[in-house]
Amino acid sequence: MFDFTTRDIKYLSGVGPQRAAILNKELDIYSLSDLLNYFPYKYVDRSRVYNINEIDGNMPYIQLRGHILSIDTVGEGRKRRMVAHFTDGTGVIDLVWFQGIKYVLKKYKLNEEYIVFGKPTVFNGRINISHPDIDSPKELNLSTLGLRPYYNTTEKMKRSFLNSQLLEKMMAAVVQQIQEPLPETLSPGVLAAHHLMSRTDAIRNIHFPQNPEMLRKAQYRLKFEELFYVQLNILRYTKDRQQKYRGYVFRTVGEVFNEFYAKNLPFELTGAQKRVLKEIRKDLGSGRQMNRLLQGDVGSGKTLVALMSMLIAIDNGFQACMMAPTEILANQHLETIRELLFGMNVRVELLTGSVKGKQREKIHTGLLTGDIQILIGTHAVIEDTVNFSSLGLVIIDEQHRFGVAQRARLWSKNSQPPHVLVMTATPIPRTLAMTLYGDLDVSVIDELPPGRKPIKTIHQFDNRRDSLYRFMREQIEAGRQIYIVYPLIKESEKIDLKNLEDGYLSIRQEFPECNVVKVHGKMKAAEKDAQMQLFASGEAQIMVATTVIEVGVNVPNASVMIIENAERFGLSQLHQLRGRVGRGAEQSYCIFVTSYKLSDETRKRLEIMVNSNDGFEIAEADLKLRGPGDLEGTQQSGIAFDLKIANLARDGQLLQYVRDIAQEIVDRDPTSELAENEILWKTLKALRKTHVSWAAIS
Ligand code: ADP
Ligand code: MG
């Protein structure tokens, strides 16, 4: 037997160079083994034959056995079609063709027995099947036909007649050539312990299931394998990191922390904040490098937790650094933190792209001498020119803009990697967090500070501007401030900016008595800051902006968030935006403005938002509705390996199960040496090789 992994697909009969090229390009299929790893997306049971009097228009694909009574062509021109009246003795049904009429007329004969296969629909009160598959019963052995696979194909493939049926034929030819077992990708121990089918049987049955039970087993084995390697990869990586590096030990909670706690802390910590701080303190003292993800809904008080963690670093003679994704945010953190530390002897500085010349040099020096204890900044802080005397803790705010690779760059900032705390307000469902950030421990702030009024969320159609403007006017007269946000999608930045400009002009016209500011990503930082400042100080009542205000901006007096074209935002993003209001004592409102024409899915998504204020609930719903691929913020960090058959939204339980198994293996075999795991490490290595971003880190 030849090697399936190297045997080129073009040598398979019926394929040839042209179709091979299409398969290469459209599905990334080059070898026979690639083909075998292209799984069906559904199966249709072809062992059962229905009676015509049993069927209705709502059934999936069905099969009938009978003969054609008569054939008519009806309609003219583009509506011309051919109708065959087909009976099995229990009733009559219409078989319809819109194309290939000549071919059909030549091929099928009256009063001959046929097996007809297709999807029944109702048209003009009659049940019909259009473009059915028709075979002679002599050529079909129904009892062995059983579950037939259906494969996804692209438009390009269809044009070259590379349809599901042809793929099925190719697959059958390859499966028949499997004479000895395919190389196994799980170890005998794992296979036995978890009652998994061999890889060979799984591949056979995923394409041509012997029966539903075998199909289920094949699916389970392949999903297991996929998720297992996602987890083994990330846990192996974590173990290697732990073995290579030790963590700085922060032994004491000392003077600085205690002074802050006693004198400066402006309010009682929430229970959740206390719990999370304890978790962090434990990590920092453990001798292991901390890598912790702190999830907390918008407004849950993450900044305070970050600050108090940094104070522990300072108490132990280390510096701390906090990174934010935008200059606006970095600035805001600087202000907040300086205010919180007022009167204390802690030096806090800012480093962003717009800090230049002398000021920048001063900061570089201050970091090297250790005079600067807390550095706050943007990506600028990970540049190679920025060096610390003893960086001990890094906080990354709003992590979804930082990939795994960027985190890794931070580690070189000291002789051992500093502790890392990643904070996010984009709640990631647990299953996904485990997969994407499996190397991180997770803490959750699941409690908001007391006294917050839930935000009222309203969905309004854009033909009701009048009432919207009336409402805005009331709020402004009551002394409130208003955000109006327009979507910004990269591909059509020009159109988006125009929408924003138009919106800005009509608001200025409508509210001549108000100060209206405008903020978008294309503005110079200084100009943007000036506009923000006008709004933050209360001089401007309305801010028209793109999503640059999505993260972190804090203006407690702003109590109304209006989101234009809300249908163009993802749920998590809408939740983030909504989190900009509801920060003060007043009742806050979030209004989604959309056109009347919306898809069912969009309506459903907005409904979720209107009914829930809970970020985790929303993220779960988002994951279920859209699938994990679309979830915001996941693209950068990426799941290590493509999932072909497992689904994070549905297979969460299995994901947890295989994680425990992978963890046990890594713990028992910390240096990847045990013979029993040889296959596992070999397979993992091969997988990593084909996924460049991972190869670079590990
Ligand atoms: P986020 O988690 O979104 O970063 P922030 O840290 O910006 O939230 O906190 C939101 C607001 O809540 C801030 O104004 C902060 O001062 C306030 N806050 C934080 N913790 C508490 C607390 N324990 N009690 C009352 N207010 C708090
Ligand atoms: Mg924040």
Side-chain angles (χ1 to χ4, degrees):
M1 194 171 76
F2 44 76
D3 185 352
F4 280 72
T5 53
T6 52
R7 180 77 169 186
D8 195 315
I9 190 81
K10 73 179 171 213
Y11 301 123
L12 190 64
S13 81
V15 180
Q18 240 169 348
R19 281 184 173 153
I22 297 175
L23 286 169
N24 296 167
K25 198 152 169 263
E26 297 293 296
L27 299 180
D28 222 9
I29 292 176
Y30 291 87
S31 66
L32 294 192
S33 148
D34 292 341
L35 183 69
L36 286 177
N37 283 302
Y38 190 66
F39 303 145
Y41 70 96
K42 71 167 183 188
Y43 303 84
V44 171
D45 187 357
R46 292 215 59 180
S47 58
R48 160 132 203 230
V49 176
Y50 284 81
N51 288 335
I52 291 180
N53 65 6
E54 289 178 87
I55 60 181
D56 61 57
N58 300 318
M59 290 172 123
Y61 288 82
I62 52 126
Q63 193 161 244
L64 304 167
R65 184 182 195 133
H67 59 272
I68 298 172
L69 290 171
S70 60
I71 299 180
D72 301 325
T73 38
V74 284
E76 288 299 325
R78 277 180 48 231
K79 290 209 175 126
R80 201 166 104 95
R81 61 193 189 276
M82 193 179 79
V83 179
H85 307 288
F86 182 86
T87 183
D88 64 356
T90 71
V92 179
I93 192 173
D94 291 345
L95 310 178
V96 184
W97 288 266
F98 300 93
Q99 283 144 21
I101 292 178
K102 262 196 210 145
Y103 171 83
V104 174
L105 276 174
K106 220 166 74 191
K107 181 146 188 205
Y108 303 119
K109 307 199 169 48
L110 301 186
N111 297 318
E112 189 144 326
E113 187 161 52
Y114 290 121
I115 304 284
V116 163
F117 174 75
K119 162 124 190 55
T121 50
V122 177
F123 180 72
N124 273 349
R126 291 176 67 91
I127 296 178
N128 66 62
I129 299 179
S130 63
H131 289 253
D133 289 355
I134 299 187
D135 292 286
S136 148
K138 279 172 236 132
E139 286 159 26
L140 281 186
N141 187 348
L142 286 183
S143 62
T144 62
L145 216 45
L147 292 168
R148 278 184 67 181
Y150 277 75
Y151 299 92
N152 276 318
T153 54
T154 64
E155 280 309 311
K156 268 217 181 93
M157 290 172 67
K158 284 191 192 107
R159 265 180 259 139
S160 306
F161 302 102
L162 251 168
N163 53 15
S164 174
Q165 269 167 307
L166 185 60
L167 278 174
E168 182 188 345
K169 263 195 198 134
M170 291 163 53
M171 213 62 90
V174 181
V175 167
Q176 264 185 358
Q177 291 178 42
I178 303 178
Q179 267 141 37
E180 42 193 271
L182 297 167
E184 187 48 72
T185 43
L186 290 171
S187 63
V190 169
L191 288 174
H194 305 287
H195 313 289
L196 298 171
M197 203 179 235
S198 75
R199 178 153 185 94
T200 313
D201 286 344
I203 290 287
R204 280 205 178 105
N205 278 284
I206 202 73
H207 295 293
F208 303 104
Q210 277 172 32
N211 53 49
E213 173 66 8
M214 292 295 267
L215 173 60
R216 203 188 51 72
K217 282 193 171 152
Q219 285 171 326
Y220 183 74
R221 139 89 208 209
L222 294 168
K223 282 185 188 182
F224 182 108
E225 174 175 349
E226 229 170 51
L227 297 174
F228 173 77
Y229 277 107
V230 166
Q231 296 293 7
L232 189 68
N233 175 52
I234 206 139
L235 293 170
R236 175 74 268 166
Y237 164 72
T238 309
K239 192 67 157 195
D240 290 347
R241 194 191 62 211
Q242 285 167 0
Q243 285 169 343
K244 201 152 135 205
Y245 307 112
R246 277 178 322 160
Y248 295 113
V249 185
F250 295 179
R251 268 174 236 292
T252 52
V253 168
E255 241 171 78
V256 183
F257 185 96
N258 288 330
E259 185 188 347
F260 176 79
Y261 201 90
K263 285 202 214 140
N264 283 39
L265 186 62
F267 24 60
E268 174 86 1
L269 294 176
T270 64
Q273 282 171 320
K274 281 186 195 157
R275 191 190 64 235
V276 167
L277 263 172
K278 255 190 216 145
E279 288 166 356
I280 292 169
R281 256 179 62 186
K282 202 165 149 220
D283 283 357
L284 296 177
S286 71
R288 274 181 35 192
Q289 184 218 2
M290 174 173 81
N291 264 283
R292 190 169 278 280
L293 176 68
L294 173 55
Q295 300 192 342
D297 214 339
V298 213
S300 59
K302 294 185 292 295
T303 318
L304 200 56
V305 171
L307 173 61
M308 292 173 80
S309 309
M310 292 196 284
L311 298 184
I312 298 177
I314 294 171
D315 271 334
N316 288 272
F318 287 91
Q319 293 162 297
C321 159
M322 182 160 171
M323 292 208 296
T326 64
E327 293 213 1
I328 296 177
L329 259 179
N331 267 305
Q332 216 165 49
H333 279 320
L334 178 78
E335 272 171 37
T336 311
I337 284 172
R338 277 194 174 155
E339 203 173 303
L340 282 165
L341 295 178
F342 185 79
M344 290 178 61
N345 188 22
V346 179
R347 185 161 163 210
V348 186
E349 294 292 345
L350 178 78
L351 186 68
T352 65
S354 36
V355 177
K356 297 213 166 84
K358 279 246 163 61
Q359 175 63 13
R360 196 178 185 95
E361 264 165 48
K362 241 175 69 191
I363 287 174
H364 283 177
T365 316
L367 289 172
L368 275 177
T369 58
D371 285 347
I372 298 175
Q373 290 150 300
I374 295 180
L375 180 70
I376 293 173
T378 53
H379 280 78
V381 305
I382 56 173
E383 279 166 24
D384 291 336
T385 50
V386 182
N387 291 297
F388 296 79
S389 89
S390 61
L391 181 63
L393 170 67
V394 176
I395 312 242
I396 302 174
D397 195 12
E398 310 297 353
Q399 122 298 330
H400 58 283
R401 318 225 165 160
F402 287 91
V404 181
Q406 276 168 316
R407 258 194 287 142
R409 270 186 78 184
L410 282 164
W411 300 352
S412 58
K413 294 278 174 200
N414 204 347
S415 56
Q416 290 175 42
H419 297 291
V420 177
L421 180 68
V422 177
M423 306 198 295
T424 178
T426 309
I428 302 158
R430 213 180 121 66
T431 50
L432 199 59
M434 275 172 28
T435 318
L436 295 179
Y437 313 107
D439 63 321
L440 298 174
D441 296 312
V442 180
S443 290
V444 181
I445 304 188
D446 49 8
E447 181 186 352
L448 291 180
R452 298 266 169 87
K453 279 194 190 134
I455 301 161
K456 282 199 178 129
T457 304
I458 298 151
H459 176 195
Q460 190 158 59
F461 296 115
D462 57 8
N463 54 5
R464 309 225 14 229
R465 293 262 157 210
D466 284 356
S467 74
L468 183 64
Y469 288 154
R470 215 175 311 128
F471 173 74
M472 286 171 65
R473 197 157 275 125
E474 278 166 25
Q475 290 293 310
I476 290 168
E477 275 161 16
R480 307 285 96 76
Q481 288 166 281
I482 298 175
Y483 295 105
I484 304 178
V485 177
Y486 283 85
L488 187 56
I489 294 173
K490 278 222 177 71
E491 297 89 69
S492 58
E493 227 162 332
K494 268 207 187 119
I495 301 174
D496 287 326
L497 276 182
K498 184 169 180 313
N499 282 344
L500 177 105
E501 295 292 348
D502 291 351
Y504 173 70
L505 286 180
S506 53
I507 289 295
R508 287 206 28 197
Q509 243 165 28
E510 190 69 31
F511 297 88
E513 73 282 12
C514 291
N515 281 324
V516 185
V517 294
K518 181 174 69 179
V519 180
H520 58 79
K522 288 269 150 196
M523 290 162 82
K524 290 222 172 68
E527 201 186 338
K528 202 155 60 182
D529 283 354
Q531 297 275 297
M532 293 287 303
Q533 203 46 50
L534 279 175
F535 191 70
S537 67
E539 274 169 81
Q541 292 81 19
I542 301 176
M543 173 189 280
V544 178
T546 57
T547 46
V548 290
I549 63 154
E550 180 186 339
V551 276
V553 172
N554 193 16
V555 181
N557 190 49
S559 65
V560 181
M561 166 65 65
I562 296 171
I563 303 175
E564 296 281 351
N565 295 115
E567 73 274 13
R568 286 175 59 187
F569 292 88
L571 286 191
S572 303
Q573 214 180 4
L574 288 175
H575 184 63
Q576 286 285 304
L577 285 168
R578 178 167 61 183
R580 295 308 107 212
V581 297
R583 307 191 144 226
E586 304 304 327
Q587 175 63 56
S588 291
Y589 301 88
C590 178
I591 302 169
F592 301 138
V593 184
T594 71
S595 79
Y596 193 73
K597 275 195 228 145
L598 291 177
S599 70
D600 281 353
E601 195 201 299
T602 307
R603 254 172 229 273
K604 234 185 256 162
R605 293 191 331 164
L606 293 174
E607 210 170 285
I608 292 170
M609 292 300 301
V610 169
N611 292 330
S612 176
N613 256 316
D614 178 333
F616 280 92
E617 205 176 291
I618 291 166
E620 291 281 358
D622 206 13
L623 182 63
K624 290 219 171 84
L625 269 178
R626 306 201 294 164
D630 291 330
L631 212 80
E632 290 148 53
T634 59
Q635 303 90 331
Q636 269 197 20
S637 328
I639 299 170
F641 312 132
D642 313 326
L643 299 181
K644 288 190 182 125
I645 184 165
N647 175 317
L648 292 178
R650 269 183 316 217
D651 300 318
Q653 247 184 331
L654 183 57
L655 184 69
Q656 175 67 58
Y657 181 71
V658 298
R659 181 182 176 84
D660 294 343
I661 297 165
Q663 184 70 64
E664 215 178 282
I665 289 170
V666 170
D667 288 345
R668 272 179 27 89
D669 189 5
T671 46
S672 306
E673 279 169 339
L674 294 185
E676 64 183 63
N677 296 330
E678 198 187 330
I679 290 181
L680 303 180
W681 303 128
K682 217 177 85 187
T683 308
L684 179 62
K685 208 167 148 192
L687 279 168
R688 280 183 175 179
K689 234 188 227 152
T690 53
H691 290 78
V692 183
S693 61
W694 268 95
I697 299 168
S698 44

